[in-house]
Amino acid sequence: GAGVSQSPSNKVTEKGKDVELRCDPISGHTALYWYRQSLGQGLEFLIYFQGNSAPDKSGLPSDRFSAERTGGSVSTLTIQRTQQEDSAVYLCASSLPQRQDIEFFGPGTRLTVL
Amino acid sequence: RKEVEQDPGPFNVPEGATVAFNCTYSNSASQSFFWYRQDCRKEPKLLMSVYSSGNEDGRFTAQLNRASQYISLLIRDSKLSDSATYLCVVGSGGYQKVTFGTGTKLQVIP
């Protein structure tokens, strides 16, 4: 497909476990974003990539969260020692670099920490 | 004060009605403005950009008031399919950093 894809679509884990979420952006989109959305809440910015570098990591809630991007394409968001408050939908989005908006979101990964 | 504020609603309107949402932003240096639509348990989708001169796309009209720091979305002739949460988005950074409002829920009823 031509859209942003994310995997897994759903993830249930136990408190204290590590999880890895994957995002495949649209080909050629150098800008990549991670957001999270808790139930009934707005989108919370986590991190922004331009190519493989992350000029803005200001949204990562704690040092348990990290993200990387390789080859200017796939990105992974890793959450270590998950806590119940990490439960949310994690959304990835990508855009062409010249756009002011965030053009396309992926369907999200719904993370539930028991 | 939140960077972007919206009335959460819900706005319950009959089919065919006209409904308007406002959104206020706190950063006077904001440069880009958008409305997104989010259906229940789905990802947000870009609805339209908001330009200084205002812009219209079919039944949807968006306007920007820089002096009062708010943007608006007007929906005419509401359809059942317009039922969704409408997210106000404001960009302030030089690299597409945008802030999302928490959304206004619209329910169009038959």
Side-chain angles (χ1 to χ4, degrees):
Chain A
V4 179
S5 60
Q6 293 186 245
S7 60
S9 55
N10 280 284
K11 178 71 178 178
V12 180
T13 190
E14 294 179 347
K15 179 181 172 181
K17 301 280 190 182
D18 297 352
V19 295
E20 192 172 278
L21 312 180
R22 176 185 168 110
C23 172
D24 284 86
I26 293 171
S27 178
H29 281 197
T30 58
L32 185 147
Y33 306 79
W34 283 98
Y35 282 80
R36 74 175 177 181
Q37 187 172 32
S38 301
L39 188 62
Q41 301 297 310
L43 273 74
E44 177 187 0
F45 170 79
L46 298 178
I47 189 169
Y48 160 78
F49 285 93
Q50 180 58 251
N52 291 336
S53 64
D56 191 347
K57 304 179 183 179
S58 62
L60 294 177
S62 74
D63 59 8
R64 296 186 295 105
F65 287 72
S66 63
E68 65 174 14
R69 189 178 185 192
T70 56
S73 181
V74 172
S75 177
T76 54
L77 177 68
T78 302
I79 309 172
Q80 296 178 309
R81 306 181 301 282
T82 51
Q83 304 293 312
Q84 288 183 332
E85 61 263 28
D86 299 335
S87 297
V89 176
Y90 288 81
L91 292 159
C92 175
S94 71
S95 289
L96 290 169
Q98 63 267 32
R99 289 188 70 100
Q100 290 280 313
D101 54 27
I102 296 178
E103 196 171 3
F104 296 104
F105 279 87
T109 293
R110 186 173 299 275
L111 174 66
T112 303
V113 181
L114 301 176
Chain B
R1 182 183 173 187
K2 287 184 180 177
E3 285 189 62
V4 179
E5 291 200 68
Q6 295 183 253
D7 180 343
F11 284 61
N12 297 312
V13 302
E15 267 187 292
T18 295
V19 61
F21 312 131
N22 278 350
C23 162
T24 59
Y25 60 93
S26 60
N27 186 349
S28 59
S30 298
Q31 299 175 6
S32 52
F33 310 88
F34 313 95
W35 284 101
Y36 282 72
R37 170 194 170 127
Q38 187 172 27
D39 293 288
C40 188
R41 299 177 74 88
K42 297 287 189 180
E43 71 274 20
K45 292 187 178 177
L46 178 64
L47 180 64
M48 59 197 305
S49 302
V50 187
Y51 304 120
S52 296
S53 56
N55 50 304
E56 186 173 314
D57 183 2
R59 298 181 293 108
F60 297 82
T61 301
Q63 292 192 312
L64 167 64
N65 186 317
R66 284 191 182 273
S68 301
Q69 293 181 210
Y70 75 84
I71 67 174
S72 64
L73 178 67
L74 181 80
I75 306 175
R76 290 181 298 277
D77 188 23
S78 300
K79 311 289 185 192
L80 295 176
S81 57
D82 294 334
S83 298
T85 296
Y86 291 83
L87 305 174
C88 169
V89 180
V90 176
S92 302
Y95 58 77
Q96 300 168 284
K97 182 174 181 179
V98 296
T99 302
F100 284 77
T102 53
T104 297
K105 186 171 183 178
L106 171 66
Q107 184 69 46
V108 180
I109 51 182

